[in-house]
């Protein structure tokens, strides 16, 4: 459960639902599939039937599939007339799946990786800093430098997936140009734990939260910067609740840090004559309220023409990459991404930027599939491009 939520438990919340259907209108899964059984309203009705009325009744294969067909984007929670925290409800439903032995195999494989390697990939956590080999020079302060003012929490996608590695590479160059004192947790960075929540293993995230927080505290850093939108959401909304106390240091997303550095005159972009649009990651925009900072970065670049998509900010449409949907239904996730990239193309921008490496991977693949002449990149990459001229 996230902070600020009124969520009690699965059964109580299913009884609150008045079946108004508001939650259907912006649901990317319902829009794609079109069947009522894929709509949040139907999923909550079925949960009431199975768990409130019949006790712990058997979950059918069809319903199990529907439970996993969700990106955890939060559009339904925002729309719910009864103010039900539906994301918490979806997480609890997935826990029911795990208990019933009906979780998709992809969930089990990912949880296995998290337990043994502390990250979502098949790679050993000791290779966490391999992305830094793309830098011209490997800074010796990058691995757990005691006394650095800032810890940069890179995230699993950027650490282990080759395309996304360009994001921390850009971030390091920007922080160096701004002469910021920073380090990373190196091999001591564990997954933030968000994939566990989305896979119905929420009770196992506490170990990850305590480890990560303890490591940042032990380095004496004053600020933690997360590069990933979902990491930011978990650090800001879930960790304090698990710990029962505040983090003890400032938490910002990379876009907030970069925007601050521009305002302080420590990063000065040069002219870049491009038309740019921005995709709000659900966990950064709608679910965490960081909407202004990425736009401030884009608009600080002289020559850039910025155009919003048809849906943006809190109302932004999901890219399909959240909620472990790729593992459960790759085709559905990609259909959602293709719809979003068409929205981006409709702006006639040549570059679509985002602030989440998973969104960027989804949109880049969708642009290729749809044969759209769109460059997809992270805000940090755009800013670096402008600074380097
Ligand atoms: S979280 Fe998003 S994908 Fe899941 S039911 Fe709600 S609106 Fe649909
Ligand atoms: S918007 Fe809320 S109250 Fe209305 S059907 Fe959806 S979950 Fe139920």
């Amino acid at each position: 459960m996230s902070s600020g939520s009124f969520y009690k438990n699965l059964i109580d919340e299913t009884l609150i639902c008045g079946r108004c259907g508001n939650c259907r209108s912006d649901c990317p899964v319902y829009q794609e599939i079109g069947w009522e059984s894929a709509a949040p309203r139907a999923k909550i009705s079925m949960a009431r039937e199975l768990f409130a009325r019949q006790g712990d009744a058997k979950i059918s294969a069809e319903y199990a599939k529907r439970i996993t067909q969700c990106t955890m984007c939060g559009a339904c929670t925002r729309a719910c007339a009864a103010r039900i925290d539906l994301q918490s409800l979806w997480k609890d439903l997935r826990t029911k799946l795990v208990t019933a032995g009906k979780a998709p195999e992809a969930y089990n494989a990912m949880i296995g990786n998290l337990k043994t390697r502390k990250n979502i990939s098949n790679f050993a956590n000791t290779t966490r800093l391999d992305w830094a080999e793309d830098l011209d020079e490997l800074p010796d302060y990058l691995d757990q430098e005691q006394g650095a003012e800032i810890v940069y929490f890179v995230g699993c996608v950027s650490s282990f997936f080759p395309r996304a590695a360009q994001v921390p590479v850009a971030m390091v160059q920007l922080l160096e140009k701004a002469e910021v004192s920073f380090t990373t947790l190196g091999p001591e960075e564990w997954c933030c734990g968000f994939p566990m929540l989305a896979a119905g293993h929420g009770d196992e995230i506490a170990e990850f939260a305590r480890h990560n927080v303890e490591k940042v505290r032990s380095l004496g850093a004053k600020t933690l910067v997360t590069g990933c939108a979902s990491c930011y959401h978990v650090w800001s909304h879930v960790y304090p609740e698990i710990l029962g106390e505040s983090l003890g240091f400032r938490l910002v997303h990379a876009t907030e840090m970069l925007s601050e550095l521009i305002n302080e005159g420590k990063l000065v972009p040069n002219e870049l004559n491009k038309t740019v649009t921005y995709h709000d990651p659900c966990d950064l925009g709608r679910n965490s309220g960081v909407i202004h900072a990425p736009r401030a970065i884009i608009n600080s670049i002289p020559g850039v023409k910025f155009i919003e998509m048809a849906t943006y900010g809190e109302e932004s449409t999901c890219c399909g990459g959240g909620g472990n949907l790729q593992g459960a239904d790759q085709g559905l996730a990609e259909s959602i991404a293709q719809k979003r990239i068409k929205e981006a193309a409709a702006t006639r921008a040549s570059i679509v930027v985002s602030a989440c490496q998973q969104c960027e991977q989804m949109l880049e693949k969708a642009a290729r599939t749809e044969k759209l002449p769109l460059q997809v990149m992270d805000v940090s990459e755009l800013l670096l491009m402008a600074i380097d001229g």
Side-chain angles (χ1 to χ4, degrees):
M1 180 171 50
S2 296
S3 59
S5 162
F6 298 111
Y7 189 80
K8 286 188 191 161
N9 58 62
L10 177 65
I11 290 174
D12 284 355
E13 302 294 329
T14 61
L15 294 172
I16 291 169
C17 172
R19 292 191 49 78
C20 66
N22 279 5
C23 52
R24 296 192 322 171
S25 51
D26 293 331
C27 173
V29 168
Y30 175 64
Q31 283 175 1
E32 212 47 49
I33 295 176
W35 292 93
E36 172 66 14
S37 61
R41 176 172 72 176
K43 293 181 196 180
I44 196 170
S45 291
M46 184 59 85
R48 174 164 50 196
E49 187 59 32
L50 289 180
F51 306 115
R53 299 230 168 96
Q54 298 179 23
D56 263 9
K58 216 170 154 207
I59 299 174
S60 68
E62 173 69 13
Y63 187 47
K65 185 175 159 199
R66 291 299 190 217
I67 291 171
T68 62
Q69 286 176 320
C70 166
T71 65
M72 300 277 182
C73 71
C76 52
T77 300
R78 183 173 178 275
C80 179
R83 301 190 69 191
I84 301 170
D85 176 358
L86 287 158
Q87 281 142 295
S88 292
L89 194 140
W90 307 142
K91 286 169 198 159
D92 279 355
L93 264 183
R94 290 181 183 198
T95 302
K96 292 278 189 194
L97 272 192
V98 172
T99 309
K102 300 226 164 150
E105 190 41 48
Y107 282 17
N108 300 333
M110 184 188 62
I111 293 298
N113 286 344
L114 285 164
K115 282 183 180 164
T116 55
R117 302 188 178 88
K118 310 302 181 193
N119 70 69
I120 58 170
S121 80
N122 285 321
F123 299 106
N125 217 40
T126 47
T127 64
R128 270 263 175 204
L129 283 178
D130 279 8
W131 56 266
E133 287 167 9
D134 284 354
L135 290 162
D136 290 341
E137 246 177 78
L138 195 64
D140 53 8
Y141 58 78
L142 213 51
D143 188 1
Q144 303 171 72
E145 173 100 330
Q146 190 71 39
E149 286 195 14
I150 290 170
V151 169
Y152 171 41
F153 193 83
V154 180
C156 289
V157 176
S158 284
S159 299
F160 296 107
F161 296 85
R163 159 61 183 90
Q166 292 312 307
V167 178
V169 167
M171 193 66 189
V172 165
Q173 291 176 77
L174 289 168
L175 294 176
E176 280 187 345
K177 285 176 195 293
E179 298 183 356
V180 167
S181 153
F182 72 100
T183 189
T184 74
L185 296 184
E188 289 300 333
E189 178 180 317
W190 288 7
C191 174
C192 69
F194 186 82
M196 289 175 154
L197 291 174
H201 287 256
D203 53 340
E204 291 166 48
I205 190 177
E207 181 196 358
F208 286 66
R210 291 199 185 96
H211 170 88
N212 285 327
V213 171
E214 178 49 39
K215 288 294 167 192
V216 177
R217 286 176 177 168
S218 70
L219 292 177
K222 294 188 178 71
T223 301
L224 180 79
V225 180
T226 72
C228 163
S230 297
C231 293
Y232 178 79
H233 183 72
V234 168
W235 275 88
S236 58
H237 287 71
V238 182
Y239 278 15
E241 192 170 317
I242 289 171
L243 297 172
E245 60 184 18
S246 64
L247 297 172
F249 44 82
R250 189 170 80 113
L251 173 70
V252 289
H253 182 259
T255 55
E256 296 175 299
M257 169 63 50
L258 295 174
S259 176
E260 275 177 28
L261 293 171
I262 292 168
N263 286 342
E264 290 165 9
K266 293 178 179 168
L267 290 175
V268 183
N270 295 305
E271 189 166 322
L272 189 68
N273 289 308
K274 298 279 183 191
T275 303
V276 175
T277 191
Y278 175 70
H279 166 76
D280 288 271
C282 300
D283 279 333
L284 191 64
R286 177 168 42 249
N287 298 333
S288 300
V290 180
I291 289 169
H292 174 72
R295 289 173 170 79
I297 296 169
I298 298 166
N299 285 317
S300 75
I301 303 173
V304 160
K305 185 178 174 196
F306 176 58
I307 304 179
E308 293 282 13
M309 290 193 226
T311 64
Y312 61 92
E314 281 194 9
E315 294 175 6
S316 181
T317 308
C318 179
C319 73
N324 300 336
L325 178 61
Q326 267 183 300
D329 192 335
Q330 176 92 16
L332 177 60
E334 289 179 358
S335 305
I336 294 169
Q338 285 155 20
K339 197 169 179 184
R340 183 59 171 162
I341 202 72
K342 285 182 202 159
E343 263 191 61
T347 65
R348 298 189 179 274
S350 60
I351 300 177
V352 53
V353 291
S354 193
C356 167
Q357 293 73 64
Q358 176 67 355
C359 295
E360 287 147 18
Q361 294 200 131
M362 293 299 295
L363 294 173
E364 193 165 74
K365 187 166 184 205
R368 277 204 306 274
T369 305
E370 294 294 319
K371 298 188 172 48
L372 291 168
L374 266 173
Q375 223 181 330
V376 179
M377 62 176 72
D378 190 85
V379 183
S380 59
E381 292 176 284
L382 181 80
L383 179 59
L384 183 65
M385 190 162 89
I387 289 175
D388 283 350

